[in-house]
Amino acid sequence: MLQGVFAAVLTPMREDLSVDRAAYAAHCRRLLDEGAHGLAIFGTTGEANSLSVAERVSAWDDLVADGIPADALLPGTGACALPDAVDLARAALDVGAPGVLALPPFYYKGVSDDGLFRFFAELIERVGDDRLRLFLYHIPPMAQVGFTPELIGRLLDAYPGVVAGTKDSAGDAARIERLCREFPDLTVFAGSERFLLDTLRWGGDGCISATCNVTAAQSRRVYDLWAANDPAADAEQASLTEARTFLEGFPPIPALKAIMRARTGDDVWANLRPPLDALADPTALLARVANHGL
Amino acid sequence: MLQGVFAAVLTPMREDLSVDRAAYAAHCRRLLDEGAHGLAIFGTTGEANSLSVAERVSAWDDLVADGIPADALLPGTGACALPDAVDLARAALDVGAPGVLALPPFYYKGVSDDGLFRFFAELIERVGDDRLRLFLYHIPPMAQVGFTPELIGRLLDAYPGVVAGTKDSAGDAARIERLCREFPDLTVFAGSERFLLDTLRWGGDGCISATCNVTAAQSRRVYDLWAANDPAADAEQASLTEARTFLEGFPPIPALKAIMRARTGDDVWANLRPPLDALADPTALLARVANHGL
């Protein structure tokens, strides 16, 4: 079962914009060492939609070959085109990932719940593998298209066991609480570690967060204190929530890459696939990170 | 040079959601016979983003093999991932298309003109073929990400000849007029035939429109009257603009497919890739189409 603190892993890229295999494995290893329970690779933070299907599959095959445990991976397999979503989900199963994180098809806007239901029904049936554990990736600020609670309920009823969980990145605590309470069988990850303790207390399962590239250790402390029923969990969460504000006002992916570049001294972190730009001047950001003790 | 009336071609699909090769070629042939100068295949109307790269390439290779002239094709080659956009543009050149219609990468929102410039610069340089003629596909209601006039100007300055044109589907006449007047070297297609005559008079080049799947003949009459300096062009445009309202209140792609199904009697037009749904009941739509004499 997937539970705990998952980093939405950044993807390091060479100057030619190919994935840097060594830096990627090293970064994943570091996040696990810092305390992340798992690695949500190739989500929004991982620039997944800027990579082809073949690039994503090859990169996660390499990760496992390089010693990152497959059972710690929750690969993003979202795509607008059903055949791409099927190929990605199958490849994730092949590499041994215990679940996949799937965006809704995000090109057409204003689509119906019926249309989205049909997309995921076709996906599940075409993958045709009982091992599939599908996590619904709700991130309306980016995808615009999202999952209503009614749609989640319909999918759970139709494909119990296969529809396994969700990552909720709507930034809405009330929605996360509703999902935890309404769907006890659904694994619920908050899309930010600021909701980590609340989510766990509502019966949810953890967080999958971009900022966990930097806050994995502190997020893990919150989780462990909660798991131990230690009342210090609240203070640790408050401190984590405060620390996480280091990112406010900065574009998240460029800023997080700039921090990794400063930490590792590796210029591979200077590169982003267009349309994303590198941060022009990281001075203010790095000062703020230091001030937060991160 | 590309000019005139282009249909944004629907893609007929079998029940298993694969492209129906015979129906696709027949539909393209019919549109050319009705008077379309060209065929914008695999745009928004063609459900392009619901098909994989391989499916799109194979379908347009089949079209040309089935006798549709390659020089009438303006294939959509938009993709969020640079390698996909490169592969699609190369394949379109290989099949002999005189231009390609490229969406901006549309997953990340709020991206900068610098980032989009870099995407298209990388695309052009990676395709590395002097025959490339790039048409910038501006459709903010769907892609959310779009082309500012400043970005279009920067791309034209950096890649004259290669950056060849635009399809403007913002629904804003003033913007189309501005592009026509500000960039005389840019081939400007309005995204709707309701702007056809105005666009031609502003120095633009025509229209690329979903409704031209139904209005190709009448749109062509407007073009021909304009080309002949015939003052009857205004009345014909007014009639076309009025006729085009048949679609109002209906979801465009399902409605257009329902019309093609009624016209051809071929059930292949009942199928759409999810997340799009077929029209539940086309009765009111078909009555309206008949009332408009289409």
Side-chain angles (χ1 to χ4, degrees):
Chain A
M1 214 182 90
L2 296 174
Q3 200 180 44
V5 172
F6 280 61
V9 180
L10 293 162
T11 307
M13 292 171 187
R14 296 205 182 85
E15 231 175 311
D16 70 1
L17 305 178
S18 63
V19 177
D20 190 297
R21 175 174 178 164
Y24 195 34
H27 183 56
C28 287
R29 168 55 52 208
R30 188 166 47 233
L31 289 167
L32 292 174
D33 289 348
E34 286 175 5
H37 293 92
L39 304 167
I41 57 171
F42 294 122
T44 301
T45 307
E47 298 174 71
N49 294 112
S50 300
L51 285 92
S52 69
V53 169
E55 287 180 307
R56 284 190 255 177
V57 172
S58 148
W60 71 51
D61 284 351
D62 287 347
L63 268 191
V64 173
D66 291 346
I68 301 300
D71 62 8
L73 298 181
L74 182 63
T77 59
C80 293
L82 188 57
D84 291 343
V86 170
D87 286 350
L88 285 162
R90 281 194 185 139
L93 287 174
D94 285 347
V95 85
V100 302
L101 187 58
L103 282 168
F106 54 84
Y107 181 65
Y108 294 105
K109 307 305 187 288
V111 298
S112 70
D113 273 8
D114 282 349
L116 292 172
F117 179 88
R118 200 159 59 93
F119 182 91
F120 285 100
E122 287 282 349
L123 172 64
I124 290 166
E125 280 157 27
R126 287 174 189 230
V127 171
D129 189 319
D130 289 343
R131 297 172 302 165
L132 181 63
R133 296 292 174 270
L134 198 62
F135 288 71
L136 308 173
Y137 186 6
H138 182 64
I139 183 167
M142 206 59 84
Q144 310 283 324
V145 179
F147 298 89
T148 62
E150 293 71 25
L151 173 59
I152 295 174
R154 281 180 65 187
L155 285 166
L156 275 171
D157 286 345
Y159 300 101
V162 172
V163 174
T166 191
K167 175 191 177 188
D168 197 295
S169 297
D172 173 3
R175 184 182 146 107
I176 298 171
E177 181 175 6
R178 176 180 171 180
L179 297 180
C180 291
R181 299 198 191 278
E182 195 165 325
F183 305 116
D185 292 341
L186 191 73
T187 297
V188 176
F189 288 106
S192 162
E193 68 272 40
R194 73 193 158 106
F195 301 127
L196 174 57
L197 186 57
D198 281 339
T199 299
L200 293 167
R201 287 180 174 160
W202 293 326
D205 299 273
C207 68
I208 300 174
S209 173
T211 35
C212 282
N213 282 279
V214 173
T215 66
Q218 193 168 7
S219 298
R220 176 61 182 264
R221 285 201 295 277
V222 171
Y223 182 90
D224 288 344
L225 290 168
W226 167 80
N229 267 317
D230 188 322
D234 290 276
E236 193 69 34
Q237 174 69 60
S239 161
L240 173 63
T241 299
E242 212 283 313
R244 198 185 168 277
T245 62
F246 76 85
L247 202 63
E248 273 175 19
F250 291 100
I253 307 169
L256 291 166
K257 283 198 158 180
I259 295 168
M260 291 316 304
R261 186 183 186 189
R263 290 199 171 172
T264 62
D266 189 342
D267 283 346
V268 82
W269 293 106
N271 304 313
L272 290 95
R273 284 230 174 156
L276 299 184
D277 305 300
L279 205 64
D281 180 359
T283 316
L285 171 71
L286 296 175
R288 211 195 272 173
V289 169
N291 283 342
H292 279 99
L294 289 167
Chain B
M1 214 181 89
L2 297 175
Q3 201 179 43
V5 173
F6 279 61
V9 181
L10 293 161
T11 307
M13 291 170 189
R14 295 204 183 85
E15 232 176 311
D16 70 0
L17 304 179
S18 63
V19 177
D20 188 297
R21 177 176 177 165
Y24 194 34
H27 183 56
C28 286
R29 168 54 54 207
R30 187 166 47 232
L31 289 167
L32 292 174
D33 289 347
E34 286 174 5
H37 293 93
L39 304 167
I41 56 171
F42 295 122
T44 301
T45 307
E47 299 175 70
N49 295 111
S50 300
L51 285 91
S52 70
V53 170
E55 286 180 306
R56 285 191 254 179
V57 172
S58 149
W60 71 51
D61 285 351
D62 287 347
L63 269 190
V64 173
D66 291 345
I68 301 302
D71 61 8
L73 298 181
L74 183 63
T77 59
C80 293
L82 189 56
D84 291 343
V86 170
D87 287 350
L88 285 162
R90 280 194 184 140
L93 287 173
D94 285 348
V95 85
V100 301
L101 187 58
L103 282 169
F106 54 84
Y107 181 66
Y108 293 105
K109 308 303 187 287
V111 298
S112 70
D113 274 8
D114 282 349
L116 292 171
F117 179 88
R118 199 159 60 92
F119 182 91
F120 286 100
E122 287 283 348
L123 172 64
I124 290 165
E125 281 157 26
R126 286 174 189 228
V127 171
D129 190 320
D130 290 342
R131 298 172 302 167
L132 181 65
R133 297 291 174 270
L134 198 63
F135 288 71
L136 309 173
Y137 187 5
H138 181 66
I139 183 166
M142 207 59 82
Q144 310 282 323
V145 179
F147 297 90
T148 62
E150 294 69 26
L151 174 59
I152 295 174
R154 280 179 65 186
L155 286 165
L156 275 171
D157 287 345
Y159 301 100
V162 173
V163 175
T166 191
K167 175 191 178 189
D168 197 295
S169 298
D172 173 2
R175 182 182 148 109
I176 298 172
E177 181 174 7
R178 176 180 172 181
L179 297 180
C180 290
R181 300 198 191 280
E182 195 166 324
F183 305 117
D185 293 341
L186 190 74
T187 297
V188 176
F189 288 106
S192 163
E193 68 271 42
R194 72 193 158 107
F195 301 127
L196 175 56
L197 186 58
D198 282 340
T199 299
L200 293 167
R201 286 179 175 159
W202 292 326
D205 300 89
C207 68
I208 301 173
S209 173
T211 35
C212 282
N213 283 279
V214 174
T215 67
Q218 193 169 8
S219 298
R220 177 59 181 266
R221 285 201 295 276
V222 172
Y223 182 89
D224 287 345
L225 290 167
W226 167 80
N229 267 316
D230 188 322
D234 289 276
E236 191 69 34
Q237 173 70 60
S239 161
L240 174 63
T241 300
E242 211 284 313
R244 196 184 170 277
T245 60
F246 76 85
L247 202 63
E248 273 175 19
F250 291 100
I253 307 169
L256 292 166
K257 284 198 158 180
I259 296 168
M260 292 316 305
R261 186 184 186 189
R263 290 200 170 172
T264 62
D266 188 344
D267 283 347
V268 81
W269 293 106
N271 304 313
L272 290 95
R273 284 228 175 158
L276 300 184
D277 305 299
L279 205 63
D281 180 359
T283 316
L285 171 71
L286 296 175
R288 212 196 271 173
V289 168
N291 283 342
H292 280 98
L294 289 168

